[in-house]
Amino acid sequence: MAATIPRHAAPSARDGDGILRAALRHSAGRTLALAAVTIASTGAALLLPAVLGHTLDLLLARRGDTGRWLLLSCALICVPAVLDTADELLTATTTARTTAWLRHRALGDILAAGPRATARIRAGDLVTRLVGNTAHAATAPATLAGTTAAVAGPLGGIVALGVIDPWLAVAFLAGAPLLALLLRAFARASTDALTAYQRLQGDIAGRLLEALRGARTIAAAGTAGRERERILRPLPDLSRHGHRVWHVQGRSTAQAATLVPLLQITVLAVAGLQLSRGRLSVGDLLAASRYAALATGVGMLVGHLNALVHSRTAARRLAEVRALPPVRHGTRRLPADGSGTLRLRGVRAERGGRAVLRGVDLDLPGGTTLAVVGRSGSGKSVLAELAGRLADPDDGEITLDGVPLRDLTREQLRRAVGYAFARPAPLGGTVGGTIAFGSFTPSPAAVRAAARAACADDFLRKLPAGYATACADAPLSGGESQRLGLARAFAHAGRLLILDDATSSLDSVTERRVAEALLADVAAPTRLIVAHRPATAARADRVVWLEEGRVRAVGPHAALWRERAYREVFGE
């Protein structure tokens, strides 16, 4: 069952509570069964003191009908042990199923947001939330069921004390407000400490993932020591907040351990006084001592509250994932006779609060190739993102064959546009599956044709199992990986092919062969290529020259080459 949390609103504590409510609804059946088991166990524990007390009175009176009461006492001792076993089993399975459900939904939220997810939350922090925070939040249903019994036990104990003698309940309730204040202070302090602790955990995970991605650069630069210091810089704060969590829990436990015996002694003192006055029997005294222990079990709520605080703070971090805006698609389709004409009007894009593209107007007629050139930071890759709607512009409109990209269905958009990147990801399981990976699965013949066009067929056929070779068993060079990514794009691009620095690792001969195949063997009639080499720009029909987020010039490479500033873009 889906939660009713606004996907675009800033997450709050209420959103975190909404995550927990959704998890509780998802596990409602098992949670109710678990609550029934724990309450039944608590009920047996509440009956036992009364039965033991009555049995003791019968034994002291030497009455002959004590046998059945002894049997009942034994049964009430054994039944909780059986119920506790069922409790453990239900707790484990409920938590495991809820964890799987939360992870499945959080992963769906991340994938629905697309590249925007890592733009808002660091990749390492997303992994921490997906793995650790879901596990903590998933304990909430079982913890709530256990809390029900943890509350029922003390309340039942207080009521039983009142039934034995009202003064026993009064004696206990005199100190109850202190326990309530203790639990409230614990919940507040733990929430603050755990929120900071989990945030720092995510920060360290983000730094670590960045270092793993740049491991070769770090090794080549000889900066492992500095990188280690950067990754672990939040560690002292993490330690401080962790110690604070344990300090709060330890202090609350110690306070409860001091207060609970005092309450028990107070109840026993009143019970002893009533026994001396003949108002209670010895059995009543025994029952009162055990009910006092059950009533002071409210101190055990510290542990349950600690678990709930963990769940709630973790759920708040999951609510931030839930709040990631998903990519919305329209209902329109492309015209059947479209040639792949791409138009940008007044396009503006911001990244990190800085305008990366400013008022870009651009026409890419169907059947032509456009090279995008510019210095680093000029907005080339952002333009490539927007052209195929991996991201939306902050202002302006982009159309393909006259239809705004925002209005297209997901299927139409992804069938029409193919992408290749500088560092393609092997996501298909096998090398052939990586080429076929996409919104639709091309035929084996189309996969092989795309591989030939990308100059990948020769080395793929030499792999141990050819196209069926697992990606993990096919260590590829940078150039081979790029050719695999190019093949995937060639196999899926219907009208528009976008290459974002996708040939940077290819040698000049291979790049020329791929460029020739683009014109002869690739279905997509329109091509937008982020170019870093003069030869790549020279093979394009036109070149758009970006400078500081604006279009400085558009024209043939040969005409632009006459300008010194243009040649300097390529280091010439």
Side-chain angles (χ1 to χ4, degrees):
M1 185 178 296
T4 57
I5 299 173
R7 294 290 299 263
H8 300 278
S12 65
R14 291 173 60 187
D15 295 328
D17 293 341
I19 294 282
L20 296 185
R21 285 193 298 270
L24 191 59
R25 289 194 297 270
H26 172 76
S27 305
R30 288 178 175 271
T31 303
L32 288 174
L34 183 56
V37 167
T38 55
I39 290 175
S41 180
T42 301
L46 287 170
L47 283 174
L48 182 59
V51 173
L52 286 176
H54 185 67
T55 303
L56 178 59
D57 286 339
L58 291 176
L59 288 171
L60 291 176
R62 297 180 182 274
R63 292 177 57 176
D65 58 345
T66 58
R68 60 177 180 173
W69 287 97
L70 285 171
L71 288 175
L72 182 57
S73 298
C74 291
L76 289 174
I77 291 172
C78 294
V79 166
V82 176
L83 292 174
D84 287 346
T85 301
D87 184 337
E88 292 290 335
L89 179 61
L90 279 171
T91 297
T93 55
T94 300
T95 300
R97 287 173 178 267
T98 307
T99 300
W101 180 74
L102 284 173
R103 285 177 179 166
H104 184 272
R105 195 176 70 160
L107 180 60
D109 292 336
I110 293 170
L111 294 178
R116 310 176 190 186
T118 52
R120 298 195 176 203
I121 303 175
R122 295 165 77 175
D125 195 7
L126 281 174
V127 173
T128 298
R129 297 177 196 227
L130 189 61
V131 177
N133 294 150
T134 51
H136 279 123
T139 62
T143 302
L144 284 172
T147 304
T148 302
V151 172
L155 289 178
I158 295 171
V159 171
L161 287 174
V163 170
I164 294 173
D165 189 301
W167 286 108
L168 299 180
V170 171
F172 178 84
L173 291 173
L178 292 176
L179 273 178
L181 290 174
L182 168 65
L183 295 175
R184 183 182 181 187
F186 169 76
R188 284 184 174 180
S190 292
T191 298
D192 293 341
L194 280 170
T195 299
Y197 187 85
Q198 291 180 357
R199 177 180 55 79
L200 288 168
Q201 274 186 320
D203 186 17
I204 292 176
R207 294 167 185 245
L208 176 59
L209 188 58
E210 290 168 356
L212 292 175
R213 286 174 172 171
R216 290 191 300 177
T217 302
I218 293 167
T223 58
R226 276 188 291 171
E227 194 61 22
R228 182 173 58 251
E229 292 176 3
R230 185 186 72 85
I231 295 169
L232 299 180
R233 193 168 296 137
L235 198 58
D237 285 338
L238 184 73
S239 175
R240 179 168 56 85
H241 288 295
H243 279 86
R244 185 183 169 200
V245 171
W246 287 110
H247 175 73
V248 169
Q249 186 171 354
R251 183 183 61 194
S252 299
T253 302
Q255 290 170 343
T258 302
L259 183 58
V260 165
L262 291 176
L263 289 174
Q264 290 177 339
I265 291 170
T266 302
V267 171
L268 287 176
V270 173
L273 180 62
Q274 296 296 73
L275 177 64
S276 67
R277 294 176 178 177
R279 296 176 181 174
L280 295 180
S281 67
V282 175
D284 290 335
L285 179 63
L286 173 63
S289 67
R290 296 185 66 87
Y291 281 129
L294 285 171
T296 52
V298 71
M300 296 296 294
L301 282 173
V302 170
H304 289 279
L305 277 178
N306 185 46
L308 286 174
V309 167
H310 268 81
S311 296
R312 196 168 185 237
T313 53
R316 289 183 66 176
R317 285 170 56 77
L318 292 179
E320 293 176 1
V321 175
R322 187 69 182 166
L324 291 171
V327 177
R328 303 291 186 187
H329 294 275
T331 58
R332 296 182 62 180
R333 303 179 65 83
L334 291 167
D337 58 350
S339 61
T341 298
L342 183 73
R343 287 191 174 89
L344 288 78
R345 290 292 179 267
V347 169
R348 181 179 63 85
E350 293 185 1
R351 295 292 185 272
R354 181 178 67 90
V356 180
L357 292 177
R358 316 174 190 205
V360 173
D361 292 321
L362 194 62
D363 288 317
L364 178 54
T368 62
T369 300
L370 177 72
V372 182
V373 305
R375 295 182 181 274
S376 177
S378 60
K380 302 186 298 297
S381 290
V382 174
L383 178 62
E385 283 183 6
L386 301 180
R389 210 190 169 210
L390 291 182
D392 288 323
D394 294 284
D395 198 8
E397 186 177 66
I398 304 175
T399 63
L400 180 62
D401 286 331
V403 182
L405 295 185
R406 293 176 186 266
D407 295 345
L408 289 172
T409 66
R410 182 193 299 271
E411 180 186 9
Q412 280 280 289
L413 177 64
R414 292 307 157 210
R415 277 184 172 270
V417 182
Y419 265 102
F421 306 99
R423 292 184 292 276
L427 296 175
T430 64
V431 290
T434 295
I435 297 174
F437 184 81
S439 60
F440 65 95
T441 303
S443 66
V447 167
R448 289 191 293 272
R452 286 193 294 271
C455 300
D457 181 64
D458 288 344
F459 75 81
L460 290 179
R461 284 191 290 105
K462 294 176 183 177
L463 293 173
Y467 281 75
T469 303
C471 293
D473 298 330
L476 304 178
S477 67
E480 289 171 336
S481 293
Q482 282 196 341
R483 281 182 273 171
L484 202 63
L486 285 166
R488 196 203 74 80
F490 293 170
H492 291 86
R495 303 192 185 199
L496 174 63
L497 177 65
I498 300 174
L499 307 184
D500 184 4
D501 200 18
T503 60
S504 58
S505 295
L506 303 185
D507 58 80
S508 300
V509 174
T510 303
E511 185 188 17
R512 187 180 69 255
R513 289 173 57 194
V514 169
E516 292 170 354
L518 273 174
L519 298 176
D521 303 322
V522 177
T526 309
R527 296 157 292 275
L528 187 151
I529 303 173
V530 175
H532 292 83
R533 295 176 179 174
T536 305
R539 283 189 284 267
D541 297 309
R542 288 193 307 162
V543 175
V544 57
W545 175 13
L546 293 180
E547 188 172 82
E548 296 183 352
R550 298 183 184 277
V551 176
R552 175 163 175 175
V554 177
H557 172 75
L560 296 175
W561 190 256
R562 300 189 189 102
E563 294 193 37
R564 179 179 177 182
Y566 179 79
R567 296 195 300 273
E568 289 176 348
V569 169
F570 300 97
E572 299 291 337

